[in-house]
Amino acid sequence: MSVTSRYRESWEGFWREASDEPGAVIWDAEPALTAGPHLALFEPHLADPALPLVDLGCGNGTQTRFLADRFPRVLGADLSAAALDHARRADPAGQVTYRQLDAAEKSETQALHAELGDANVYVRGVLHQCEPDDRQALVDGIATLVGDRGRALLVELSGDAKPVLMALASGPAGPPPKLAPVFRHGIAPGEVSDDAVPEYLRAAGLTVLASGELPLSTTEYRPDGTRVELPSRWVVAGRTG
């Protein structure tokens, strides 16, 4: 199963319009607030930290470059060619390898696994933005990349995030500037129940090793100057036995 052309074009349109300015994209918070805390949750469960790390849904590569300072080989993968253009412009030294990937397409994840071998996989906020019919295929693709020895960390908005987003979007002036493009390009966060993520992982043959809750920082601020944080849940999974 491959993602629909409409969905792919939505992402291409979003990233073609997005600025290269750091923090211009609502979820592009600095790594000290995002990948850093997530890595602290992930590292204790890595069976082999020397495996390649795939940042799946890497976008403009802000978190990927942070991870590249901490793992021997890091690959940033994204559905959108325009997103990868942003990532490469921000990485003129070529610290990270970037690859266009439809992770819901079985043949593509199989080919990448054949190239890399087993990998650790970091996935932040991808599943809830995915078309419902593609979600299990996406998690199956993650399981393919993980193989026998890798581990996956998925961080997804929790059900409690929806009221926060709706309150932001329904203000008198409409959605704030960094949220508006998400809706305009038709990639508004979908609804994935908190219980669904572990079920997708189990159906893909992965075991949930750890899970919890953690606020997900954005680059948007409220009128009072406080940073918008969205409730999220994290899950570490891999094959055991």
Side-chain angles (χ1 to χ4, degrees):
M1 177 189 296
S2 178
V3 297
T4 64
S5 58
R6 183 209 63 78
Y7 183 60
R8 187 189 297 269
E9 280 306 306
S10 294
W11 277 111
E12 291 294 352
F14 175 86
W15 281 112
R16 281 195 295 264
E17 182 184 293
S19 168
D20 278 333
E21 188 71 23
V25 173
I26 190 169
W27 55 78
D28 194 32
E30 53 266 40
L33 299 176
T34 45
H38 296 155
L39 190 56
L41 299 169
F42 198 20
E43 284 181 323
H45 302 284
L46 296 178
D48 187 352
L51 293 178
L53 179 79
V54 177
D55 182 8
L56 186 60
C58 67
N60 62 4
T62 299
Q63 314 306 320
T64 326
R65 292 185 293 278
F66 170 87
L67 295 167
D69 287 332
R70 290 152 180 82
F71 289 90
R73 182 179 182 187
V74 173
L75 183 142
D78 203 279
L79 176 67
S80 167
L84 298 174
D85 288 343
H86 279 277
R88 293 186 180 105
R89 284 196 298 271
D91 185 15
Q95 182 183 18
V96 175
T97 301
Y98 297 100
R99 184 78 53 85
Q100 189 171 13
L101 180 77
D102 177 356
E105 177 56 55
K106 185 176 181 179
S107 63
E108 294 196 24
T109 53
Q110 287 178 332
L112 185 57
H113 180 263
E115 176 185 335
L116 296 178
D118 292 354
N120 295 313
V121 183
Y122 174 52
V123 190
R124 179 176 64 104
V126 173
L127 193 61
H128 76 265
Q129 293 173 332
C130 188
E131 298 280 6
D133 289 346
D134 290 327
R135 289 172 187 158
Q136 186 63 61
L138 174 70
V139 179
D140 290 347
I142 292 169
T144 296
L145 295 174
V146 163
D148 293 327
R149 296 181 298 138
R151 297 288 184 262
L153 171 66
L154 285 78
V155 182
E156 295 293 334
L157 297 184
S158 71
D160 293 336
K162 184 178 180 180
V164 180
L165 286 167
M166 292 304 100
L168 286 171
S170 61
K178 293 178 184 178
L179 183 59
V182 178
F183 291 120
R184 186 167 62 252
H185 288 282
I187 51 175
E191 297 186 25
V192 180
S193 72
D194 295 347
D195 294 336
V197 177
E199 288 305 314
Y200 287 132
L201 290 163
R202 292 186 187 104
L206 299 178
T207 299
V208 173
L209 304 174
S211 63
E213 299 179 2
L214 191 72
L216 189 64
S217 294
T218 75
T219 62
E220 191 61 85
Y221 291 82
R222 294 184 173 84
D224 64 3
T226 58
R227 184 189 291 267
V228 174
E229 294 183 329
L230 299 174
S232 76
R233 298 184 63 86
W234 59 271
V235 181
V236 176
R239 287 188 174 85
T240 58

